[in-house]
Every structure is written in C-alpha cells, then in structure tokens.
Amino acid sequence: MPAGEERDVTATGGDEAAIAQQRRLVTEIPGPRSRALEERRRTTVAAGVSSTLPVYVERASGAVLVDVDGNSLIDLGAGIAVLSVGHAAGEVVERVRAQAARFTHTCFMVTPYEGYVEVCEELAALTPGSHEKRSALFNSGAEAVENAVKIARHVTRRQAVVVFDHAYHGRTNLTMALTAKNMPYKDRFGPFAPEVYRVPMSYPFRDPAGMTGAEAAARAIDTVEAQVGAGNVACVLVEPIQGEGGFVVPAPGFLPALSRWCAEHGALFVADEIQTGFARTGDWFACDHEEVVPDLVTTAKALAGGLPLAAVTGRAEVMDGVHPGGIGGTYGGNPVACAAALGSIVTMRALDLPAAARRIGSVIGERLTKLAASSAAVGDVRGRGAMQAVELVRPGTGDPDAAAAKRVAAACHAAGVVVLTCGTFGNVVRLLPPLVIDEALLGDGLDVLASAVEALTA
Ligand SMILES: *Cc1c(COP(=O)(O)O)cnc(C)c1O
C-alpha cells in the first residue's frame, strides 16, 4: 500500500465482504452440484487424496464457506488451522492482489526482494524469546520440519532425532518417520528415514492418574538416555500441543523439563508450532504459555492466511551455522505468499487475535464441559484457546470410540458445520474456528455439535 494511505484492518474484505456470517442450507449436504463434481473428480483426481466433506466451495468469507449449491456452512476447521484471520481477510486479499500484479516469483536464491526479509523480521519479533534470531522460508510444514532437522543435525554434528507418541510432523519421507500414526500416513510407504526415536508423550487423559509433567518428562528422558544416549541427540522435536495426534495438551512442566534437558545435553529443543502457532492457543505461540524458549520453531499453517508458506526460526548462531546454499528451494518464501503473511500478521495484531482466541476458548470450553457432564460418551474435553476438542469413549470406559467421532462429524457436516476429527485412535472431534468468528455463529455451530454428541447416548 502506498505510504501515507490509511486503510482500516477489518476481519473480512475483498470481494466477499458481503457473505452473511450465517449458516443457511438450501439443499441436502452435499448438494447436487457438489455430488456431480465429486463424480467428475473420481475420473482424474488420485484416490489417495481424499476430502473430509466433499462439498465444493465456491467462495468464503470470515467463518463461512459458500458451496456450489448455494449452501452457507460454518467453518470450524479453518482449512486445518490455516484461516485464523478468516477467509478473504481484507489485508490478505489486497496485498496478494497487489503483489501478484508486481511480480509473482524471482526465486529468493537468485534475486531477493523485501517481502521475504519483512516476514523474517516479523518471525523474529513474534516467536518466543528475545534472543537474536534468523529464519528461512519454505513452502509447507513438512518442508520446514525437514529443514529444522537438517539444521539441527548439521550444527550439532549428531544424528538422533527424538519424537513422541501421537506426533504428527508431515507426510514426506523424513516427516513420515517422525509421525507416529500408521494409518493413513505411513502404511506401506516405507522404508522410513533412520535415526528417529519415539518416546512417550505426556497425555494426561491416558497417563496414570496424577502423573505430572515433570514425571512424564522423566519417563521420556529415561527412555532417551537408555536407548539413544544423550550425546547422540541432535534435537528433541515436539508439538507443544499435539494437533493430528488428538489435541493432546501435555501436563504443566513437561515442556520446560524437556527444554532444560536439551540445554544441559547439547541437544536442540525444536518446537513444531505449525498447528499451534500464530494466536491459535491464546498466545502468539503455544510455547509462550509456559515461557519455554525453543532453539528452533517451525511454523506454517496460519502464517500466511491460506497461501503456502512455512518457516524455520531459531537462534542466530544455530541458523547461521549452515553454509550458504545449504538450505533453500525454488519457491520457498514466494513473494505472493510473503505478502499474504504480512497481511495476515497485520490483521492478527490489529484485531488482537490472541485475545480473540482466549475468548473463543472460554466459550467453547464452557459449552464442551457442560456436554461432558451430561454425556457419558465424552471422556475428555481439552485444549487451549481456540484449539479445543472432545475425546469420545464407550460410555462407562476409557475405550476410544472412533465410530462415535465419525457419527458426530457426519451429523455436523449434514447440518452444515465443518468439524474435523483427529487422534491416534480416531476418536477426537476437534474445533479450530477462524479467530474472527462471531459469537452467534460459533454458538450455532456448538449447538449443532452438542446435539450430535447427545444423540450418541440418547
Ligand atoms: C500440518 C502439520 C505439519 C505438516 O504441514 P504441511 O504443510 O501439511 O506439510 C507438520 N506439523 C504439524 C504440527 C502440523 O499440524
């Protein structure tokens, strides 16, 4: 935007500002036009790429998706925690448009541009810790995680990477190895990369009652020391709140203890904040909650308001320990994606989205806690900020009930509410609304979810 020009930062903008923030169904879900597109898809799109809800989207704004049949759906998934600033956020749309008209690519490794530098400045300012930082930009979360591991191995001159039960870090060969769950991510896609060691996570709902974060960290560390050897560990890689693995919030003290152990043993503490980052949990980053300062942080999803952009941000001396040309890629830090990231970050600041996430979290938390009190199918309610979930169990037991999660999601989808499931056992329904969602729309979505859960035991 030209210097001196003022523009209000609003939640929604672009061409789609007029979409009413309301659920409104005019056909069954999916409607006839979506069903026709789904038929057409089958003849050219690979079956291995699947869709949670085959409703074809025509446009979107804020927290509402409008499909090709004219239905308005409430988006409580935000494209898997990507659209934290909402669909078609004004600053994202305008900056993307302007950047696309100027130039779309040069390759930063050939001829650089200011947007990349600006994004790295923002990452230095926003990620945990006030130390000197450097960033490198990539295209996807998996690519950022791969590079964090490359950097950690390079600078420590060690090879072992420690990851956790229920972890999710991506689908490329190295990140499949880092990911815990076999189906659908790993089955028959091996062989997997070596020197990856998996240790127990702190999972309060499924750990022995009363196990503290410190005890869970000691359990993990004992395993590392016995099976890997502290001196071989390049990095400990952890999601501060696990995403695909089931929105597992480790007990307080778990992350600080791991981070301390890393510092004492010359290993890098790497926080994968790809799902938790950028205001989602009520802080700018989930590590901020316990004032944990990672050596390296990976970010992606909410960073760029829907455009593909990812980053590794870390201590200057670590990041600069890699020789020039050692990391990079053709598209990493694409100028249009950088423009989107700057629009997204401006919006997060202007609308104070960390505070919005805390408000959303208390609304959802209150509602789900009530639901847990009235439904024996709810085993656990957990999360932080606008990252909340219910873990469903067979009533009267702790046994995971994946079929119940499927039924709840299907009922929500049929009613026009997009929710996602997750968890190693497939029994967790998770909520990741855009942080600009208004309370009435959120309330409507939660009503639908609550009736779907109540129907399980009715
Ligand atoms: C989504 C995700 C990834 C992978 O990101 P992609 O952009 O899908 O490659 C890695 N780590 C975490 C925690 C994620 O949620």
Side-chain angles (χ1 to χ4, degrees), residues 80 140-143 145 168-170 239 243-244 272 274-275 300-301:
I80 318 188
S140 69
E143 202 188 346
V145 172
Y168 181 85
H169 298 291
E239 298 156 86
E244 307 305 301
D272 181 348
I274 288 169
Q275 193 152 155
K301 293 192 164 94

Side-chain angles (χ1 to χ4, degrees), residues 147-159 231 233-235 266-270 295-296 312 314-323 327:
N147 277 281
V149 170
K150 277 172 68 173
I151 294 163
R153 284 175 167 163
H154 186 89
V155 301
T156 61
R157 293 172 163 65
R158 300 171 176 185
Q159 293 186 352
V233 177
C235 63
L268 299 184
F269 183 78
V270 184
D295 299 300
L296 299 176
V312 180
R315 295 186 185 283
E317 64 277 18
V318 171
M319 295 295 291
D320 285 344
V322 176
H323 52 277
I327 51 177

